[in-house]
Amino acid sequence: MMENYIRLALRGAGRLFAEEKLLAWLGVAGFVLAAGIAAYIGMFGPVVPPEGNVASAFSFNAAIGVFMLSIAILLPLSGFKAKARTAIRRVFVPIVVYAYAVETIQHFRGVNPRFSQSGSIIDTIAGTAFGLASFILIIVTTVVAVAFFRRKLLAARPLLILGIRYSFVSVTLSFAAGLWMIALNGRFTGAGGNIIVLHGLGFHALQVLPLLGWLLERSRAEARRAQLLLHTGSAAWIASVAAVAIQTAAGRTIFEWSALPVVAAAGLLLCLASIAAAAGTELLKPRFAPAVPSFTDLER
């Protein structure tokens, strides 16, 4: 029984990443690196003097892995022609490979890969190149994001594309957080603000909000109710990210009992509730339910 489930899961994954296999394997590489680092941490701990912390390499590689898997799914939906997608792929691959290498190798050498205070001139150059690679990654991701704001894509799959659009709004806030860290030469601000929380939360919209749109697209929910659920869940996520941004800019930790962290938590819960409602509509619908008019039908 378990073998059948695994076989079905692998078959589904194969279809999901069929058009961007290279980017998908690049994402898997991040998880492989993270798994190896986790094993090292279990045996030796995370700290490598004088500046290294391989726990940061673990989280970075896993996060980039998730990001690349998300891009591998979304890029075929962008409407780009084969040549444009090839060009985008040729930028992503070397940048991500370099990022994996610098983040992992430098931490294991005991050097902060971005903001080293004890490394050599070579380490400084590597860190500067890392920053440049981050800028290029922002530019290319922005090019992909802009493609989803073309009108013809929305007409074809309105719910999914709206979810993707919202997700890239959140990613823009995440990019701003990344540039903020580069400007500060670190991730901490004020007495307790940690910009990396904002950075990570903004990026995870790439998994959450397209999922919401996809579930609603598959559901038999009435079109206007589906649209309301999508806007509610997505706006709640963006509000949560904004609350985290304001709290962090004030130099305060997001992990405290005050107004903005409560707003952030409430936004995430509302988004999750929207996903649960969308999933419930899909799972609980009658097997042979009558078709409900889609957005495309309503536009006609």
Side-chain angles (χ1 to χ4, degrees):
M1 181 72 72
M2 183 59 69
E3 290 180 358
N4 290 336
Y5 283 125
I6 293 174
R7 195 178 298 112
L8 287 171
L10 290 175
R11 191 179 305 159
R15 289 197 298 266
L16 192 62
F17 299 110
E19 295 191 51
E20 290 295 341
K21 292 179 181 178
L22 181 57
L23 295 184
W25 280 115
L26 197 59
V28 171
F31 288 105
V32 172
L33 285 169
I37 293 169
Y40 176 91
I41 292 172
M43 292 185 288
F44 304 107
V47 177
V48 180
E51 300 177 316
N53 187 335
V54 293
S56 295
F58 165 83
S59 59
F60 176 87
N61 289 332
I64 293 296
V66 172
F67 175 70
M68 289 315 302
L69 288 175
S70 301
I71 293 296
I73 294 170
L74 297 181
L75 188 56
L77 302 172
S78 65
F80 282 123
K81 296 191 181 299
K83 286 185 178 180
R85 281 170 51 188
T86 298
I88 289 169
R89 198 181 304 122
R90 285 176 177 172
V91 177
F92 270 128
V93 171
I95 285 177
V96 172
V97 169
Y98 178 75
Y100 282 153
V102 171
E103 182 76 17
T104 304
I105 292 170
Q106 292 295 75
H107 275 299
F108 272 101
R109 291 182 60 240
V111 176
N112 188 313
R114 298 173 187 80
F115 316 116
S116 179
Q117 301 296 318
S118 63
S120 66
I121 184 64
I122 301 244
D123 297 316
T124 301
I125 293 172
T128 302
F130 201 176
L132 178 60
S134 299
F135 279 115
I136 296 173
L137 188 67
I138 290 173
I139 292 169
V140 178
T141 305
T142 301
V143 170
V144 175
V146 168
F148 285 98
F149 286 84
R150 289 179 291 181
R151 189 171 298 176
K152 66 178 182 179
L153 289 185
L154 188 65
R157 302 184 70 175
L159 292 169
L160 177 60
I161 298 303
L162 275 173
I164 294 171
R165 287 181 177 183
Y166 271 115
S167 73
F168 277 115
V169 172
S170 178
V171 168
T172 300
L173 295 174
S174 181
F175 281 151
L179 296 175
W180 186 5
M181 285 189 287
I182 291 173
L184 286 179
N185 204 33
R187 65 173 63 180
F188 300 104
T189 179
N194 188 347
I195 306 170
I196 201 69
V197 176
L198 170 62
H199 188 58
L201 183 63
F203 266 122
H204 282 305
L206 276 179
Q207 297 84 54
V208 176
L209 302 185
L211 173 63
L212 175 59
W214 180 77
L215 286 169
L216 288 168
E217 181 181 74
R218 288 176 57 85
S219 75
R220 292 291 182 176
E222 189 272 329
R224 289 181 179 81
R225 179 175 179 273
Q227 187 180 42
L228 177 62
L229 269 175
L230 179 63
H231 286 304
T232 299
S234 300
W237 181 279
I238 301 297
S240 179
V241 175
V244 171
I246 296 169
Q247 179 80 353
T248 304
R252 299 173 65 180
T253 177
I254 194 66
F255 303 107
E256 66 176 25
W257 287 105
S258 59
L260 287 171
V262 169
V263 169
L268 293 180
L269 289 174
L270 183 55
C271 182
L272 293 175
S274 299
I275 292 173
T281 303
E282 161 64 13
L283 295 173
L284 299 177
K285 69 183 180 184
R287 187 173 180 181
F288 300 104
V292 174
S294 66
F295 286 108
T296 306
D297 296 329
L298 291 177
E299 287 173 357
R300 292 172 186 167

